Amino acid sequence: MSAAAGGGRNPSPAPEANRLARKRVSEVVQLLHGAARAVRLYPAENSAVRKVLTELGAACDRIEEADRQFELKRAGNDLFINDTRLRPGLDNLTAVNAVIAMMRNHGVGTIALRARPTHRDWVELLGALRQAVGNVPEDDRLASVATRLDEAGVQSFALGPTNEGLDEVETEVDGKERSRQTYMRTVTVTRDIFRSARAGGTVGVRRVRRVLRGVVDQVLKDEVSIIGLTTLRDFDEYTFVHSVNVCILSVALGRRLGLSKPQLLELGLAALMHDVGKARISLDVLNKPGALTEDEFAQVREHTWRGVLALFGMPFGAFRPWRAMVVAFEHHRRTDGAGYPRTRRSRALSLFSRIVAVVDGFDAGTSKRVYKDIPWSPSDVLRDMRDCARHGLDPVIVKAFIGMIGIYPLGTVVVLDTGEVGVVVGVPTDPSDAERPVLRLVVAADGSRITDETTVDLAVPPADGRPPRTIIRTEDPERYGIVVTDYTT
Ligand SMILES: [Fe+2]
Ligand SMILES: [Fe+2]
């Protein structure tokens, strides 16, 4: 389906035109979601409603100008505008899920523009798509939306049914895109797990199993692209994005350590749930900027045993997630017996706990948090984990982890001895080349920005006889205005 799903083996980002088209699609979907919420909260003449509808109209105009048409289409869990597939990301995930749900609930497969909609037209459409379906049979829902618009005299939209055949689109996407879908689905389900755990409810275990199977399959099939996605970080929604990253990296590491597929599924569950106890801790404490008081810190430490209780409460049926409970309890304990929670008798940490502790330390160390402005660079965190015995991590697992993601993991921004700046887009396969990854150069020696897709493999000596480039230090991507995920996903 169109060039949007392309990509192939090249680690470089899609051409500029594709990226722009995708950005426009994402913008429309986010505005549509924003407008739907505004229309629900305020009367149509409210200035907030008018503002978002004006922006939505302008965003649609831009697409219509470029493509000469505008058709929003849902195929399964994908959204397209004209031929451009929307790429769900952490920035637009809520909007994408909401728009898909609105369309699916009402049997709407396509929304095309016949004429430029007025504000009133949008308000009517969004009202119709947000109305409860009640006991309207599934086959009649689209007609009921169309009738409502007709009766209101709205002519600017042409609605079409869902073309279920289009659901097959998923089989055509390449590994990279499939990894992205797997990642975003896992984030959505994990968010639901945390939300419902916070509200005292439960989440469908079948959904959890399904996303875990997706993660394990994707790690087995295309490890590089799904690991690349763990460089995605979302500041506001830290806990569950962190949980997804820890899940993916733990499964990949478990595979390196020779675990079987059923073991990987169990490890994935344990890793995904390791911090689920945080759902039982006050958000004021979890998101508090600045240092925690001793009392608050004690509350945060409670997430370990609270996680065990939360797992007991989940409807796993006959299956008891014992290993996940052990990991929830143990992941902050250290191999030397230190850490928390303290227990009277010390017991060797389980293998799963040791794996999750290493990955957890890495992901937490490299993330930006409310109390930490500048995250450590991934390579500094790895070196610290390797060299600092006081962390109490299992050295064999740390070594395997570094072997897996490289001392300069994907997405690390590095400065070279030539003065150039690059982003790591490929990890060396030979461990003796650990310090020589593949880079996309983004800043030239004279400080100018490099816009073409120049890739250099530091392990390969330059053909012109010059000495090979060497990494002299890592840098905070923000210093150079670099969005790491533009290069790694
Ligand atoms: Fe934790
Ligand atoms: Fe954690």
Side-chain angles (χ1 to χ4, degrees):
M1 195 91 207
S2 96
R9 298 280 131 233
N10 193 338
S12 52
E16 205 48 38
N18 267 351
R19 204 194 304 210
L20 183 65
R22 283 204 297 255
K23 214 172 133 192
R24 285 186 175 145
V25 170
S26 174
E27 184 187 30
V28 166
V29 171
Q30 289 185 78
L31 286 166
L32 204 56
H33 171 60
R37 283 205 317 209
V39 164
R40 185 172 51 125
L41 292 172
Y42 308 110
E45 59 280 2
N46 176 285
S47 65
V49 175
R50 287 214 308 266
K51 181 166 175 280
V52 65
L53 290 178
T54 305
E55 287 172 16
L56 175 60
C60 294
D61 285 350
R62 280 194 287 277
I63 290 182
E64 211 166 12
E65 234 163 69
D67 295 355
R68 305 256 151 253
Q69 58 166 344
F70 180 102
E71 185 186 59
L72 171 65
K73 184 166 58 195
R74 177 183 80 81
N77 283 317
D78 288 318
L79 287 178
F80 293 81
I81 294 185
N82 302 332
D83 277 336
T84 305
R85 178 203 292 271
L86 180 132
R87 289 180 97 188
L90 294 176
D91 54 337
N92 61 19
L93 196 60
T94 311
V96 174
N97 288 337
V99 170
I100 287 177
M102 266 192 317
M103 292 176 78
R104 179 183 287 134
N105 285 347
H106 292 88
V108 177
T110 57
I111 302 174
L113 297 190
R114 277 195 203 123
R116 197 170 192 282
T118 62
H119 282 193
R120 189 180 152 270
D121 292 352
W122 282 118
V123 170
E124 289 294 339
L125 174 74
L126 292 168
L129 289 178
R130 289 202 63 106
Q131 73 188 339
V133 284
N135 46 14
V136 180
E138 236 175 284
D139 289 349
D140 299 340
R141 289 179 189 169
L142 173 62
S144 123
V145 172
T147 313
R148 180 168 156 172
L149 292 180
D150 261 356
E151 283 168 359
V154 176
Q155 301 290 332
S156 44
F157 304 106
L159 305 185
T162 309
N163 181 350
E164 291 305 336
L166 283 176
D167 286 10
E168 300 305 318
V169 159
E170 278 191 33
T171 55
E172 289 174 25
V173 303
D174 67 359
K176 229 171 158 180
E177 201 58 39
R178 193 164 309 120
S179 284
R180 172 171 275 277
Q181 289 172 355
T182 304
Y183 186 91
M184 292 308 158
R185 249 170 244 162
T186 312
V187 170
T188 304
V189 169
T190 311
R191 172 162 48 194
D192 291 350
I193 294 171
F194 273 84
R195 284 202 182 143
S196 59
R198 192 167 283 286
T202 54
V203 76
V205 169
R206 224 185 290 151
R207 279 178 75 207
V208 179
R209 286 241 168 83
R210 204 179 312 134
V211 294
L212 283 172
R213 231 178 294 130
V215 168
V216 171
D217 285 346
Q218 209 51 36
V219 166
L220 295 176
K221 252 189 286 182
D222 189 0
E223 182 186 87
V224 173
S225 65
I226 195 149
I227 287 182
L229 287 160
T230 62
T231 51
L232 290 173
R233 296 290 149 84
D234 191 74
F235 183 50
D236 292 331
E237 311 201 279
Y238 172 72
T239 304
F240 56 81
V241 174
H242 162 73
S243 301
V244 172
N245 291 344
V246 171
C247 172
I248 290 168
L249 292 171
S250 296
V251 169
L253 182 53
R255 181 197 180 199
R256 297 264 162 150
L257 296 170
L259 300 186
S260 66
K261 198 170 169 183
Q263 287 172 317
L264 291 179
L265 285 166
E266 238 189 312
L267 173 62
L269 176 69
L272 193 68
M273 299 292 186
H274 79 281
D275 273 338
V276 72
K278 286 196 178 167
R280 302 277 172 92
I281 290 171
S282 143
L283 282 173
D284 297 341
V285 174
L286 280 186
N287 298 332
K288 181 181 170 185
L292 298 181
T293 64
E294 193 40 51
D295 181 53
E296 287 164 341
F297 205 55
Q299 282 186 53
V300 172
R301 284 198 291 249
E302 288 180 1
H303 81 273
T304 47
W305 59 264
R306 286 189 186 279
V308 179
L309 293 188
L311 282 160
F312 261 112
M314 288 186 187
F316 282 99
F319 170 78
R320 277 272 170 230
W322 300 120
R323 290 209 167 83
M325 292 178 192
V326 170
V327 170
F329 190 76
E330 287 185 339
H331 71 276
H332 288 285
R333 288 175 60 112
R334 302 182 191 150
T335 47
D336 58 5
Y340 65 88
R342 290 297 173 102
T343 50
R344 205 168 295 165
R345 239 181 300 165
S346 71
R347 175 181 170 278
L349 299 181
S350 78
L351 173 65
F352 283 12
S353 301
R354 282 177 283 143
I355 293 174
V356 171
V358 167
V359 176
D360 185 36
F362 173 74
D363 192 73
T366 50
S367 296
K368 198 168 172 171
R369 302 290 304 278
V370 261
Y371 47 81
K372 182 168 88 176
D373 279 347
I374 303 170
W376 281 27
S377 78
S379 48
D380 287 345
V381 173
L382 288 177
R383 281 209 185 81
D384 185 56
M385 283 166 48
R386 186 186 63 188
D387 301 336
C388 232
R390 75 183 161 77
H391 293 307
L393 297 171
D394 182 328
V396 174
I397 294 176
V398 172
K399 209 169 157 206
F401 186 62
I402 293 176
M404 178 176 93
I405 57 172
I407 195 82
Y408 297 109
L410 289 182
T412 311
V413 174
V414 295
V415 180
L416 302 174
D417 57 350
T418 52
E420 294 158 307
V421 178
V423 178
V424 176
V425 293
V427 172
T429 39
D430 182 348
S432 63
D433 282 332
E435 310 264 339
R436 309 197 152 274
V438 182
L439 303 181
R440 257 292 298 280
L441 295 181
V442 283
V443 178
D446 62 6
S448 62
R449 198 70 183 220
I450 300 173
T451 47
D452 62 355
E453 298 174 3
T454 314
T455 304
V456 286
D457 185 342
L458 297 188
V460 179
D464 56 10
R466 276 185 304 169
R469 298 167 165 99
T470 309
I471 294 174
I472 51 172
R473 63 165 199 278
T474 58
E475 249 318 337
D476 178 12
E478 275 176 26
R479 205 173 143 206
Y480 291 94
I482 294 169
V483 180
V484 167
T485 46
D486 281 353
Y487 302 94
T488 55
T489 59

